Amino acid sequence: MKKTNLITCLLVLVSSTMMAQWTAVNNGLPGLTTNGVANVRDSLFTAVNGHGVYFSIDNGESWAEWKNNSKLTTKKINDFEGLTAFSGTGGGNHFSVSGQQMLGIYQSISGEGGLTASRLSFIPVPAEQINDWIDEENPEIFYLATNNGVYYSPDKMNWTKSGGLTGDALVVNTLHLVEHDDDTETLYAGTNDGMYKSVDSGKTFSKSLNGIASGQRVNNHSFFVTTENGVYTFNEENDLFNPFIPSGDYYTSVVDLSKFVAYAFGDGVAKKINMMTGIIEDVSLDNVTGGAIIGATYVKDYLFVCTEQGGVFRMPLTDNLGVGDYEINHISFDVVPNPSTGSFTITSEEPVEVLLFNAQGSLLKAYDVKNSFFVQQSLSKGVYFVNQKGTRNTKKLIIE
């Protein structure tokens, strides 16, 4: 399922600039109109409009054409997204590539003995430009964001167009599904006319008046909500969008929960966010060319971005958190069994509050652990992270 959520953290703006050295890494790409970057099992992927998907196994030093390009039903690619929250997590990594009347989803899944099962599947979609998608598991509904509204289907074959979106709101850039504690759901659609929501499984949408103004282009709703007028956080408890970075045209964001660091990028703007302290720093964009940054991911020791017409760029990852900061209040805990089928126990010799995240950065649950805490969650197969709140003390949990 492609759905995300985010944590609201304290906003502290600082005037210092993180001096990063960006390098263009386009050797082997047939063009510079790239539509996104993704990390699939520590290989770097991008899509070049008019040419297809390309990959790099040497951190962007060289690129090769993806073997499945011949299966793409069109090379006119307008969107390319992948699991960008973590690098090298294994288990359930994927990317999706879409264009006019085309959506292909590639999945790389860890199997027994470290083997990998991979597949590329195409979904028959309406004759529209596809911008985003969500696969809801219970009940089974597949949602599409297009340049002509939202479409939904229970079988990925027969599509119905949602009502309530008109004018600029028909250009839907991003979708986000919220599951509430009372088992109700809200589907959010980020459009060129602000944020809309549906409480009837996508049948009808109405304007969301919870913090994002009408007429504002919403570009992406993932860990952060990126818009043409700054970055927002989203609080699921009261359905409020809260201003986080108050200005700038932002397109994308990426978070690494293993370090508790996030980045937000856009048209001439870039920020680094320390998620433990809330401190926000400017990131230098020296040597980054080609318009707005529209995609970002991590691979090993590098942060990668791509721009509208400049290809792919990388910089070495930096970590401003000292060892002493990390060790403060660091409490040892364990998660057993791991891998798990969904039931597991968190153990600790000292009382500790831990947070459960999925691999896209969604905060699922918080637990107060005193010696041990038994967890029985309905979790899909994949990779999750259990983090000691307020620290970088994080353990990876695999659900099989």
Side-chain angles (χ1 to χ4, degrees), residues 18-26 32 265 268 270 283-291 293 305-307 309-316:
M18 177 183 157
M19 298 304 294
Q21 182 61 50
W22 293 95
T23 303
V25 285
N26 296 317
L32 299 181
F265 297 100
V283 176
S284 170
L285 290 178
D286 289 349
N287 300 326
V288 177
T289 60
I293 294 173
V305 299
C306 71
T307 64
Q309 297 179 343
V312 181
F313 302 81
R314 78 179 186 195
M315 76 167 183

Short mmCIF file of all heavy atoms in Angstrom, two decimals, residues 18-26 32 265 268 270 283-291 293 305-307 309-316:
data_model
loop_
_atom_site.label_atom_id
_atom_site.label_comp_id
_atom_site.label_asym_id
_atom_site.label_seq_id
_atom_site.Cartn_x
_atom_site.Cartn_y
_atom_site.Cartn_z
N MET A 18 23.94 24.99 5.45
CA MET A 18 24.70 23.75 5.34
C MET A 18 25.39 23.74 3.99
O MET A 18 24.76 23.70 2.94
CB MET A 18 23.74 22.55 5.45
CG MET A 18 24.41 21.21 5.29
SD MET A 18 23.17 19.92 5.35
CE MET A 18 24.07 18.63 4.48
N MET A 19 26.73 23.81 3.99
CA MET A 19 27.50 23.91 2.75
C MET A 19 27.74 22.53 2.18
O MET A 19 28.68 21.84 2.55
CB MET A 19 28.81 24.65 3.00
CG MET A 19 28.61 26.08 3.49
SD MET A 19 27.60 27.09 2.38
CE MET A 19 28.69 27.15 0.96
N ALA A 20 26.84 22.11 1.32
CA ALA A 20 26.95 20.79 0.70
C ALA A 20 27.58 20.93 -0.68
O ALA A 20 27.36 21.91 -1.37
CB ALA A 20 25.58 20.16 0.60
N GLN A 21 28.35 19.94 -1.05
CA GLN A 21 28.96 19.92 -2.37
C GLN A 21 28.18 18.97 -3.26
O GLN A 21 28.27 17.75 -3.11
CB GLN A 21 30.43 19.47 -2.28
CG GLN A 21 31.14 19.47 -3.62
CD GLN A 21 31.18 20.86 -4.26
OE1 GLN A 21 31.56 21.83 -3.61
NE2 GLN A 21 30.77 20.95 -5.51
N TRP A 22 27.42 19.53 -4.17
CA TRP A 22 26.63 18.73 -5.10
C TRP A 22 27.45 18.44 -6.36
O TRP A 22 28.18 19.29 -6.84
CB TRP A 22 25.34 19.44 -5.48
CG TRP A 22 24.37 19.60 -4.36
CD1 TRP A 22 24.22 20.69 -3.55
CD2 TRP A 22 23.39 18.65 -3.93
NE1 TRP A 22 23.21 20.48 -2.63
CE2 TRP A 22 22.69 19.22 -2.86
CE3 TRP A 22 23.06 17.36 -4.36
CZ2 TRP A 22 21.66 18.56 -2.20
CZ3 TRP A 22 22.03 16.70 -3.70
CH2 TRP A 22 21.35 17.30 -2.63
N THR A 23 27.26 17.25 -6.90
CA THR A 23 27.93 16.84 -8.13
C THR A 23 26.89 16.24 -9.07
O THR A 23 26.07 15.40 -8.65
CB THR A 23 29.00 15.78 -7.85
OG1 THR A 23 29.93 16.29 -6.90
CG2 THR A 23 29.73 15.39 -9.12
N ALA A 24 26.91 16.67 -10.34
CA ALA A 24 26.03 16.06 -11.34
C ALA A 24 26.52 14.65 -11.64
O ALA A 24 27.71 14.42 -11.84
CB ALA A 24 26.01 16.91 -12.61
N VAL A 25 25.59 13.69 -11.68
CA VAL A 25 25.94 12.28 -11.96
C VAL A 25 25.01 11.78 -13.07
O VAL A 25 24.06 11.06 -12.81
CB VAL A 25 25.86 11.41 -10.70
CG1 VAL A 25 27.03 11.68 -9.78
CG2 VAL A 25 24.56 11.66 -9.93
N ASN A 26 25.33 12.15 -14.29
CA ASN A 26 24.46 11.85 -15.43
C ASN A 26 25.12 10.99 -16.50
O ASN A 26 24.55 10.80 -17.58
CB ASN A 26 23.97 13.16 -16.07
CG ASN A 26 23.10 13.97 -15.11
OD1 ASN A 26 22.24 13.43 -14.43
ND2 ASN A 26 23.34 15.29 -15.07
N LEU A 32 18.25 14.61 -19.79
CA LEU A 32 18.31 15.23 -18.46
C LEU A 32 16.93 15.56 -17.91
O LEU A 32 16.83 16.15 -16.83
CB LEU A 32 19.17 16.50 -18.51
CG LEU A 32 20.63 16.28 -18.93
CD1 LEU A 32 21.38 17.61 -18.91
CD2 LEU A 32 21.32 15.26 -18.03
N PHE A 265 12.87 19.92 -0.54
CA PHE A 265 13.45 20.54 -1.73
C PHE A 265 12.35 21.10 -2.62
O PHE A 265 11.21 20.64 -2.59
CB PHE A 265 14.24 19.51 -2.55
CG PHE A 265 15.42 18.92 -1.86
CD1 PHE A 265 15.35 17.66 -1.28
CD2 PHE A 265 16.61 19.63 -1.78
CE1 PHE A 265 16.45 17.11 -0.64
CE2 PHE A 265 17.72 19.09 -1.14
CZ PHE A 265 17.64 17.83 -0.57
N GLY A 268 14.56 26.20 -6.20
CA GLY A 268 15.54 27.11 -5.63
C GLY A 268 15.58 27.13 -4.12
O GLY A 268 16.21 28.01 -3.53
N ALA A 270 15.99 24.63 -0.42
CA ALA A 270 16.36 23.35 0.16
C ALA A 270 16.61 23.53 1.65
O ALA A 270 17.29 24.48 2.06
CB ALA A 270 17.61 22.78 -0.52
N VAL A 283 20.15 24.58 2.97
CA VAL A 283 21.09 23.71 2.29
C VAL A 283 21.53 24.39 1.00
O VAL A 283 20.69 24.83 0.20
CB VAL A 283 20.46 22.34 1.96
CG1 VAL A 283 21.43 21.47 1.17
CG2 VAL A 283 20.04 21.63 3.24
N SER A 284 22.83 24.53 0.80
CA SER A 284 23.35 25.14 -0.41
C SER A 284 22.96 24.30 -1.62
O SER A 284 23.00 23.06 -1.58
CB SER A 284 24.87 25.26 -0.34
OG SER A 284 25.39 25.63 -1.60
N LEU A 285 22.59 24.97 -2.72
CA LEU A 285 22.27 24.30 -3.97
C LEU A 285 23.30 24.62 -5.05
O LEU A 285 23.00 24.53 -6.25
CB LEU A 285 20.86 24.70 -4.43
CG LEU A 285 19.71 24.15 -3.58
CD1 LEU A 285 18.37 24.65 -4.10
CD2 LEU A 285 19.73 22.62 -3.53
N ASP A 286 24.50 24.97 -4.63
CA ASP A 286 25.57 25.22 -5.59
C ASP A 286 25.77 23.99 -6.48
O ASP A 286 25.81 22.86 -6.01
CB ASP A 286 26.88 25.54 -4.86
CG ASP A 286 26.85 26.90 -4.20
OD1 ASP A 286 25.92 27.68 -4.48
OD2 ASP A 286 27.74 27.18 -3.38
N ASN A 287 25.87 24.23 -7.78
CA ASN A 287 26.09 23.21 -8.81
C ASN A 287 24.82 22.45 -9.19
O ASN A 287 24.88 21.61 -10.10
CB ASN A 287 27.16 22.20 -8.41
CG ASN A 287 28.51 22.84 -8.16
OD1 ASN A 287 28.86 23.82 -8.81
ND2 ASN A 287 29.25 22.31 -7.20
N VAL A 288 23.69 22.71 -8.54
CA VAL A 288 22.44 22.06 -8.94
C VAL A 288 21.76 22.94 -9.98
O VAL A 288 21.46 24.11 -9.73
CB VAL A 288 21.50 21.85 -7.73
CG1 VAL A 288 20.17 21.26 -8.18
CG2 VAL A 288 22.17 20.94 -6.71
N THR A 289 21.52 22.40 -11.16
CA THR A 289 20.95 23.16 -12.27
C THR A 289 19.75 22.41 -12.84
O THR A 289 19.50 21.25 -12.52
CB THR A 289 21.99 23.35 -13.38
OG1 THR A 289 22.41 22.06 -13.86
CG2 THR A 289 23.20 24.12 -12.88
N GLY A 290 19.00 23.10 -13.70
CA GLY A 290 17.92 22.44 -14.42
C GLY A 290 16.54 22.66 -13.84
O GLY A 290 15.63 21.87 -14.10
N GLY A 291 16.34 23.71 -13.06
CA GLY A 291 15.02 24.01 -12.53
C GLY A 291 14.77 23.42 -11.16
O GLY A 291 15.70 23.13 -10.39
N ILE A 293 13.86 21.06 -7.99
CA ILE A 293 14.14 19.69 -7.55
C ILE A 293 12.80 19.00 -7.32
O ILE A 293 11.97 19.46 -6.53
CB ILE A 293 14.97 19.69 -6.26
CG1 ILE A 293 16.36 20.28 -6.54
CG2 ILE A 293 15.09 18.28 -5.69
CD1 ILE A 293 17.20 20.47 -5.29
N VAL A 305 19.23 13.96 -5.61
CA VAL A 305 18.07 14.72 -6.06
C VAL A 305 18.06 14.72 -7.58
O VAL A 305 19.09 14.47 -8.23
CB VAL A 305 18.08 16.17 -5.55
CG1 VAL A 305 18.04 16.22 -4.03
CG2 VAL A 305 19.27 16.95 -6.09
N CYS A 306 16.91 14.98 -8.16
CA CYS A 306 16.84 15.21 -9.60
C CYS A 306 16.03 16.47 -9.84
O CYS A 306 15.14 16.82 -9.06
CB CYS A 306 16.24 14.01 -10.34
SG CYS A 306 14.48 13.77 -10.08
N THR A 307 16.36 17.15 -10.92
CA THR A 307 15.67 18.38 -11.28
C THR A 307 14.90 18.20 -12.58
O THR A 307 15.03 17.18 -13.27
CB THR A 307 16.66 19.55 -11.44
OG1 THR A 307 17.56 19.28 -12.53
CG2 THR A 307 17.47 19.75 -10.16
N GLN A 309 15.09 19.54 -15.54
CA GLN A 309 15.81 19.44 -16.81
C GLN A 309 17.33 19.38 -16.61
O GLN A 309 18.08 19.62 -17.55
CB GLN A 309 15.46 20.63 -17.72
CG GLN A 309 13.99 20.67 -18.13
CD GLN A 309 13.68 21.87 -19.00
OE1 GLN A 309 14.43 22.84 -19.06
NE2 GLN A 309 12.55 21.81 -19.67
N GLY A 310 17.76 18.99 -15.42
CA GLY A 310 19.20 18.93 -15.16
C GLY A 310 19.73 17.57 -14.80
O GLY A 310 20.92 17.40 -14.56
N GLY A 311 18.84 16.56 -14.77
CA GLY A 311 19.29 15.22 -14.43
C GLY A 311 19.41 15.00 -12.93
O GLY A 311 18.66 15.56 -12.13
N VAL A 312 20.40 14.18 -12.56
CA VAL A 312 20.55 13.72 -11.18
C VAL A 312 21.82 14.31 -10.57
O VAL A 312 22.86 14.42 -11.23
CB VAL A 312 20.62 12.18 -11.13
CG1 VAL A 312 20.75 11.69 -9.69
CG2 VAL A 312 19.37 11.57 -11.78
N PHE A 313 21.73 14.67 -9.28
CA PHE A 313 22.84 15.25 -8.53
C PHE A 313 22.96 14.50 -7.20
O PHE A 313 21.97 13.99 -6.67
CB PHE A 313 22.62 16.74 -8.26
CG PHE A 313 22.44 17.55 -9.50
CD1 PHE A 313 21.21 17.60 -10.16
CD2 PHE A 313 23.50 18.28 -10.03
CE1 PHE A 313 21.04 18.36 -11.30
CE2 PHE A 313 23.34 19.04 -11.18
CZ PHE A 313 22.11 19.07 -11.82
N ARG A 314 24.17 14.48 -6.64
CA ARG A 314 24.36 13.83 -5.35
C ARG A 314 25.26 14.69 -4.47
O ARG A 314 26.04 15.50 -4.95
CB ARG A 314 24.98 12.44 -5.51
CG ARG A 314 26.46 12.46 -5.77
CD ARG A 314 27.07 11.07 -5.91
NE ARG A 314 28.52 11.15 -6.03
CZ ARG A 314 29.30 10.16 -6.44
NH1 ARG A 314 28.76 9.00 -6.78
NH2 ARG A 314 30.61 10.32 -6.49
N MET A 315 25.13 14.46 -3.16
CA MET A 315 26.07 15.04 -2.20
C MET A 315 26.29 14.03 -1.08
O MET A 315 25.41 13.22 -0.77
CB MET A 315 25.55 16.35 -1.63
CG MET A 315 24.46 16.23 -0.61
SD MET A 315 24.17 17.80 0.26
CE MET A 315 22.92 17.30 1.46
N PRO A 316 27.49 14.05 -0.47
CA PRO A 316 27.73 13.16 0.67
C PRO A 316 26.82 13.53 1.83
O PRO A 316 26.57 14.71 2.09
CB PRO A 316 29.20 13.41 1.02
CG PRO A 316 29.79 14.06 -0.19
CD PRO A 316 28.68 14.83 -0.82
#
